[in-house]
């Protein structure tokens, strides 16, 4: 071949490769929402949904190919039939545009990625085995909790089925085989296990077998931890290297678990999550627990939230994490009114690491250091330029410390950027003898304990500030760190600084989060082959681990919802949610208002935008007196009230839907959704103008047959609240009574104020928080 021809051939090959690569890179995963009424027509003609979907994809494939070209065939990933009607597929942008014009397609959205939000807590919550209380009611063994997460370690003792009755006959799920996972791994506790990976592989490529099991088996630990928190069997003598020793048990320790693995290498793709939710509901779960969060988006664009509405309409209670993006406002995720959004707060248990400076000052911190020595000598302190020359030295990032400067000394490391335990590895590898991990103001006084590899402790922002000031005053300042193990009796609960906050960035008419639950320093099951810090350099292993996050608080609520469901089998998800919210408490174990750990002064009180209705109170939630119930149609009317178009509501309704006229019988103002809290928004631009908003609520008597409730108000600042009638009289169980509440205020500068409305009768106190916003 002549040189000129060879060069021309190479150029053509390169062009072909570039074109092919561009075509492939143009392909993305889309979730397609279909009209359910069209599907019913097909079924009546004995045609299966996947056949229709394949025909649709074939049309886009044929149409999108130029004459003489081979079409890039769309790839069908999943079909959804239970909580959502539709499918997911890998398409080019051109195929996506064509598909949106096909009859029966309601909406098509690009796939999204969510992240994971990462025992003693039953005692802290007042759950005890004895004569009375939630654990002493009807056993919850017939209630099934579905956990959508990173999978499960089935052999763990927390999932033993000893003493359990046979699997409920209504269960339709299965134990799906895969890598290192067989049917025999399931039992009467772990009754189902499936995995969903097509969406992840479409976005990221093949799953690495060195990092993940291509099965429901959990290699990361997150799913094992959350599943055991919700419903793990009681395990006496559980501990983490001797700390937090006691009986580890899930909130609903007799309930069954079904594990749905939809998260891989730390990422959870919506098409996989949607497939997991859809399958879980079809399998017959009663509760769904999802310790993951994505960016808050309008409901009609959020596939997981759309599926959650479908689950709720089929009687399944759905709990989501609020997120770990605190302490800034409007960071909360998973904010739809049909899901329970869970914030995180502290227990009264801690792991004390104490620092004593050479000037005699002492500071209390948190650490799970388990080394042989419980105290260091007084050692020199180094920080920033005295520890290294890199700009990142103060954060102790890899490669930032100078061994010649830190050897044999205690290094001060600011919290942030990289993992807290990784900082310890960095210090140790540079020859450091210890570490003081310092909170920035954003983390406030939050003391999250970690299993450090060298003597180290975390200190709050106020202590951090003082110690850094001492460093400038004393040239030869030294410190000693001592470790005192597990301690009890701390003031609690306090809202964690990492816990995401309201108001909702997409729907301010609903207070979010809904509730707070224990999410700091939680002991639960762990895969024995996984690193306790998930760092490849950490070779330590344990059957239990201590983690923090709204990932840990979410399964607490899921388990408690299962307990309530076992007693009140006919309650709707909204009724269970109402019972949890209206019985929550807002004062800590010292009788003070619950505080917010994001405040460095440690005096700031938490508000409904931090903890929703308050801290979960399981025994009270079993017998709330009154509940606020909500139907599926109520949610659709609410969407109309926040100005969603008919097309947008149709996506959530899964059928053609038209919003009712304002002149009709159905009220469509946002405040009329029968929610157990009140979010009221005044227009700050209307300065000096007085405005009144009147909302309606309906409560159902679930307490005792003949009873009367009187209203009490904690008036929010700047607003007058009035209620009519002021007394509600009930003559029988299940009776409904309605009331109206009016909020009158004068428009002012932008700020928020808070209060509450409480219906009281004897032992019953049914409380709803009020959040007033001027914007």
């Amino acid at each position: 071949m002549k040189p000129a021809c060879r060069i021309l051939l190479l150029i053509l090959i390169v062009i072909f490769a570039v074109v092919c690569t561009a075509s492939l890179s143009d392909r993305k995963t889309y979730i397609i929402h279909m009209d359910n009424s069209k599907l019913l027509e097909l079924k009546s003609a004995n045609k299966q949904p996947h056949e229709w979907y394949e025909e649709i994809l074939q049309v886009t494939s044929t149409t999108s190919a130029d004459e003489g070209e081979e079409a890039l065939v769309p790839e069908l990933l999943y079909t959804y039939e239970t909580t959502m009607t539709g499918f997911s597929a890998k398409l080019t942008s051109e195929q996506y545009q064509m598909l949106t014009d096909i009859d029966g397609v309601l909406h098509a959205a690009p796939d999204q990625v969510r992240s994971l939000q990462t025992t003693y807590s039953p005692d802290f919550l007042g759950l005890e085995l004895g004569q009375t209380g939630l654990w002493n009611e009807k056993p919850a063994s017939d209630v099934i909790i579905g956990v959508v997460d990173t999978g499960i370690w089935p052999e763990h003792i927390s999932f033993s089925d000893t003493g359990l009755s046979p699997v409920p006959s209504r269960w339709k799920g299965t134990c799906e085989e895969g890598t290192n996972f067989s049917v025999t791994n399931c039992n009467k506790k772990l009754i189902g296990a499936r995995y969903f990976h097509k969406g992840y592989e479409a976005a990221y490529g093949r799953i690495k077998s060195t990092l993940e099991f291509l099965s429901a088996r959990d290699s990361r630990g997150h799913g094992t931890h959350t599943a055991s928190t919700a419903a793990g069997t009681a395990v006496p003598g559980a501990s983490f290297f001797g700390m937090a020793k006691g009986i580890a048990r899930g909130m609903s320790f007799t309930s069954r678990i079904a594990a749905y693995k939809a998260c891989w290498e730390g990422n959870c793709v919506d098409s996989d999550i949607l497939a997991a939710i859809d399958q879980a509901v079809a399998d017959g779960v009663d509760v769904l627990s999802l310790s993951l969060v994505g960016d808050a988006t309008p409901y009609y664009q959020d596939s997981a939230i759309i599926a959650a509405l479908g689950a709720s309409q089929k009687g399944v209670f759905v709990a989501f994490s609020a997120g770990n993006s605190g302490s800034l406002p409007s960071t909360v995720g998973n904010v739809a009114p049909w899901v329970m959004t869970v914030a995180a707060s502290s227990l009264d248990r801690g792991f004390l690491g104490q620092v004593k400076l050479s000037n005699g000052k002492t500071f209390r911190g948190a650490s799970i250091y388990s080394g042989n020595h419980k105290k260091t000598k007084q050692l020199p302190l180094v920080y920033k330029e005295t520890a290294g020359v890199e700009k990142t030295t103060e954060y102790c990032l890899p490669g930032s410390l100078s061994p010649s400067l830190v050897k044999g000394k205690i290094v001060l490391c600011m919290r942030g950027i990289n993992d807290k335990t990784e900082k310890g590895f960095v210090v140790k590898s540079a020859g450091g003898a210890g570490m003081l991990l310092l909170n920035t103001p954003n983390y406030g006084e939050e003391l999250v304990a970690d299993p450090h590899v060298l003597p180290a402790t975390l200190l709050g922002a106020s202590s951090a500030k003082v110690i850094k000031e001492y460093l400038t005053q004393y040239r030869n300042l030294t410190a000693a760190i001592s470790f005192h193990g597990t301690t009890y009796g701390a003031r609690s609960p306090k809202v964690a600084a990492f816990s995401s906050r309201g108001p909702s960035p997409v729907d301010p008419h609903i207070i979010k989060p809904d509730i707070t639950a224990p999410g700091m320093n939680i002991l639960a099951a762990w895969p024995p082959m996984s690193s306790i810090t998930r760092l490849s350099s950490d070779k330590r292993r344990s059957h239990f681990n201590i983690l923090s996050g709204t990932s840990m608080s979410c399964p607490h609520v899921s388990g408690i919802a299962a307990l309530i469901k076992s007693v009140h089998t006919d309650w709707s998800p909204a009724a269970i949610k109402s019972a949890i919210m209206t019985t929550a408490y807002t004062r800590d174990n010292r009788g003070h208002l619950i505080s917010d750990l994001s405040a460095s002064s440690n005096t700031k009180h938490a508000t409904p935008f931090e903890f929703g209705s308050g801290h979960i109170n399981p025994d009270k939630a079993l017998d709330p007196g009154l509940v606020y119930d909500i139907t599926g149609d109520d949610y659709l009317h609410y969407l109309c009230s926040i100005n969603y178009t008919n097309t947008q509501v149709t996506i959530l309704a899964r059928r053609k839907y038209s919003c009712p006229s304002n002149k009709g019988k159905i009220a469509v103002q946002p405040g009329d959704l029968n929610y157990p809290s009140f979010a009221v928004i005044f227009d700050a631009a209307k300065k000096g103008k007085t405005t009144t908003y009147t909302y309606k609520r309906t409560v159902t008597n679930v307490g005792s047959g003949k009873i009367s409730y009187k209203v009490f108000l904690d008036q929010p600042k700047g607003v007058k609240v009035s209620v009519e009638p002021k007394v509600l009289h009930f003559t029988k169980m299940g009776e409904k009574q309605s009331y109206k509440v009016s909020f009158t205020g004068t428009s002012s500068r932008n700020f928020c104020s808070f209060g509450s409305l409480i219906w009281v009768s004897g032992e019953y106190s049914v409380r709803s928080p009020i959040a007033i916003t001027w914007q």
Side-chain angles (χ1 to χ4, degrees):
M1 185 182 290
K2 293 182 180 180
C5 293
R6 188 178 292 111
I7 292 171
L8 179 60
L9 178 60
L10 288 171
I11 291 172
L12 290 173
I13 290 171
V14 169
I15 292 171
F16 179 76
V18 168
V19 170
C20 288
T21 302
S23 299
L24 290 171
S25 64
D26 182 45
R27 294 216 304 173
K28 295 179 181 177
T29 301
Y30 293 88
I31 297 171
I32 296 87
H33 300 257
M34 305 297 291
D35 186 341
N36 193 50
S37 61
K38 297 282 185 182
L39 198 64
L40 294 175
E41 292 175 13
L42 287 170
K43 286 184 176 180
S44 65
N46 294 320
K47 192 170 187 178
Q48 295 301 312
H50 69 87
E51 294 175 329
W52 182 32
Y53 302 153
E54 286 170 350
E55 288 176 4
I56 290 172
L57 292 177
Q58 185 61 44
V59 170
T60 64
S61 171
T62 304
T63 309
S64 62
D66 291 335
E67 188 175 346
E69 284 187 1
E70 185 177 346
L72 197 59
V73 180
E75 181 183 350
L76 180 66
L77 300 181
Y78 296 109
T79 60
Y80 311 113
E81 298 181 33
T82 307
T83 59
M84 192 203 95
T85 302
F87 61 96
S88 55
K90 206 168 182 181
L91 308 168
T92 65
S93 58
E94 185 180 0
Q95 289 165 346
Y96 158 69
Q97 291 295 336
M98 292 175 182
L99 188 137
T100 57
D101 294 328
I102 292 176
D103 184 41
V105 174
L106 298 178
H107 180 62
D111 213 356
Q112 302 293 326
V113 179
R114 295 171 190 262
S115 60
L116 301 165
Q117 304 298 304
T118 281
T119 214
Y120 169 74
S121 48
D123 295 324
F124 179 76
L125 291 169
L127 291 169
E128 298 178 4
L129 289 170
Q131 300 299 316
T132 60
L134 198 50
W135 268 357
N136 302 287
E137 296 289 337
K138 178 184 175 183
S141 57
D142 285 342
V143 179
I144 303 164
I145 302 175
V147 182
V148 179
D149 213 295
T150 64
I152 197 165
W153 194 266
E155 298 88 356
H156 199 284
I157 192 172
S158 291
F159 308 122
S160 167
D161 65 354
T162 302
L164 283 177
S165 58
V167 175
S169 59
R170 63 184 175 86
W171 176 243
K172 299 176 184 177
T174 188
C175 201
E176 188 176 357
E177 295 194 342
T179 306
N180 287 10
F181 208 105
S182 69
V183 174
T184 58
N185 285 124
C186 286
N187 57 21
K188 292 181 290 185
K189 165 59 79 170
L190 176 61
I191 64 173
R194 300 180 186 265
Y195 63 102
F196 306 85
H197 61 97
K198 295 177 184 177
Y200 178 87
E201 289 193 330
Y204 295 99
R206 289 281 183 183
I207 290 167
K208 299 179 181 66
S209 60
T210 56
L211 299 176
E212 290 277 6
F213 298 101
L214 194 58
S215 69
R217 185 172 291 276
D218 181 17
S219 64
R220 297 187 65 83
H222 193 275
T224 299
H225 199 281
T226 57
S228 65
T229 300
T233 299
V235 181
S239 73
F240 183 55
F241 297 117
M243 282 178 266
K245 192 170 184 178
I247 301 175
R249 55 164 69 94
M251 296 299 101
S252 185
F253 61 88
T254 61
S255 287
R256 318 302 176 124
I257 297 170
Y260 298 86
K261 184 175 179 178
C263 299
W264 307 85
E265 299 178 31
N267 292 313
C268 318
V269 178
D270 265 3
S271 55
D272 293 333
I273 296 168
L274 186 50
I277 294 174
D278 201 61
Q279 187 63 62
V281 176
D283 287 345
V285 303
D286 301 293
V287 174
L288 269 171
S289 187
L290 297 100
S291 290
L292 43 90
V293 71
D295 294 334
T297 58
Y299 305 140
Y300 59 87
Q301 293 179 350
D302 192 324
S303 295
I305 290 298
I306 294 171
L309 177 59
S312 176
Q313 290 171 332
K314 291 183 179 294
V316 177
F317 178 94
V318 184
F320 273 96
S321 296
N324 293 349
S325 299
S327 57
L328 297 175
S330 295
T331 49
V332 64
N334 301 317
V335 295
W338 49 86
V339 305
M340 177 149 263
T341 310
V342 188
S345 47
S346 64
L347 300 168
D348 70 342
R349 181 184 66 194
F351 305 94
L352 178 61
Q354 190 163 283
V355 178
K356 186 173 183 180
L357 301 182
S358 53
N359 65 1
K361 302 296 183 181
T362 60
F363 303 88
R364 295 170 66 89
S367 177
I368 314 178
Y369 174 64
S370 57
N372 294 327
H373 301 290
K374 298 303 178 185
K375 186 178 180 179
T376 70
K377 300 176 181 178
Q378 284 284 333
L379 298 171
L381 293 173
V382 290
Y383 174 58
K384 293 181 73 169
E385 63 272 5
T386 61
V389 295
E390 300 293 329
K391 291 181 179 180
T392 56
T393 295
E394 68 175 320
Y395 287 96
C396 299
L397 300 187
S400 67
L401 301 179
S402 300
S404 60
L405 296 177
V406 306
K407 185 177 181 180
K409 299 173 183 176
I410 294 175
V411 183
L412 275 64
C413 301
M414 297 304 297
R415 183 176 171 185
I417 302 180
N418 61 333
D419 187 83
K420 300 188 295 300
T421 51
E422 184 184 43
K423 296 176 190 291
F425 277 94
V426 172
V427 172
K428 186 176 182 179
S429 64
M435 175 178 70
L436 298 187
L437 188 57
L438 307 180
N439 273 351
T440 62
N442 281 344
Y443 293 108
E445 301 308 310
E446 173 184 275
L447 296 179
V448 174
D450 289 288
H452 297 290
V453 294
L454 80 171
T457 191
L458 173 68
L459 297 170
S462 56
S463 297
K465 180 181 179 182
V466 172
I467 291 173
K468 288 191 289 183
E469 289 174 353
Y470 284 149
L471 270 176
T472 64
Q473 298 172 22
Y474 301 92
R475 293 187 58 184
N476 299 312
L477 190 67
T478 64
I481 311 173
S482 57
F483 304 94
H484 302 269
T486 311
T487 61
Y488 298 91
R491 181 177 167 184
S492 58
K494 298 179 181 180
V495 178
F498 62 71
S499 189
S500 294
R501 284 113 211 286
S504 166
V506 297
D507 184 4
H509 301 287
I510 299 290
I511 296 176
K512 288 287 179 170
D514 291 305
I515 201 79
T516 191
M520 287 179 62
N521 303 328
I522 303 301
L523 177 78
W526 193 254
M529 56 74 66
S530 299
S531 164
I532 59 171
T533 57
R534 288 173 288 207
L535 297 173
S536 59
S537 55
D538 190 352
K539 305 304 179 184
R540 295 173 297 170
R541 301 292 185 266
S542 175
H543 283 82
F544 291 87
N545 204 350
I546 293 174
L547 301 181
S548 298
T550 53
S551 279
M552 284 65 251
S553 58
C554 177
H556 279 84
V557 174
S558 304
I560 291 165
L563 290 171
I564 298 171
K565 179 72 173 178
S566 70
V567 178
H568 301 289
T569 56
D570 59 339
W571 280 14
S572 69
I576 295 173
K577 181 177 177 181
S578 171
I580 292 172
M581 291 174 65
T582 59
T583 57
Y585 60 85
T586 59
R587 292 189 176 270
D588 61 26
N589 57 0
R590 301 288 195 275
H592 302 293
L593 292 173
I594 293 174
S595 58
D596 179 3
L597 284 170
S598 69
S600 297
S601 64
N602 205 23
T603 58
K604 180 187 172 186
H605 297 141
T607 74
F609 289 153
E610 281 83 50
F611 61 29
S613 293
H615 193 280
I616 193 166
N617 190 351
D619 280 346
K620 289 287 187 182
L622 177 66
D623 186 17
L626 303 174
V627 293
Y628 295 81
D629 211 351
I630 305 175
T631 68
D633 282 344
D634 291 337
Y635 290 125
L636 299 180
H637 298 158
Y638 172 75
L639 297 174
C640 295
S641 77
I642 57 174
N643 296 322
Y644 276 28
T645 65
N646 289 340
T647 301
Q648 291 164 347
V649 180
T650 291
I651 296 168
L652 288 115
R654 303 165 63 200
R655 65 182 191 275
K656 290 292 183 182
Y657 187 87
S658 296
C659 289
S661 168
N662 282 326
K663 297 178 181 179
K665 294 181 179 179
I666 302 173
V668 287
Q669 62 170 333
D672 280 337
L673 180 68
N674 205 39
Y675 211 69
S677 62
F678 296 91
V680 187
I681 302 170
F682 285 90
D683 187 353
K686 298 179 180 178
K687 294 182 179 179
K689 184 178 178 180
T690 299
T691 306
T692 298
Y693 295 102
T694 300
Y695 299 153
K696 180 184 177 182
R697 290 290 189 274
T698 300
V699 288
T700 304
N701 178 25
V702 295
S704 60
K706 190 174 182 180
I707 192 170
S708 296
Y709 285 84
K710 184 178 180 181
V711 72
F712 289 86
L713 293 167
D714 174 15
Q715 297 275 357
K717 183 180 178 182
V719 171
K720 181 183 178 182
V721 183
S722 59
V723 178
E724 286 296 333
K726 293 178 173 56
V727 178
L728 298 176
H729 299 286
F730 297 90
T731 59
K732 60 183 179 180
M733 291 282 285
E735 183 180 352
K736 297 179 183 294
Q737 293 282 354
S738 297
Y739 68 92
K740 291 185 177 181
V741 53
S742 296
F743 305 89
T744 302
T746 302
S747 296
S748 182
R749 57 187 175 83
N750 293 5
F751 78 100
C752 301
S753 67
F754 305 95
S756 59
L757 181 156
I758 312 167
W759 290 102
V760 177
S761 179
E763 64 184 48
Y764 294 116
S765 179
V766 186
R767 179 183 175 276
S768 294
I770 299 169
I772 307 293
T773 306
W774 283 264
Q775 61 180 32

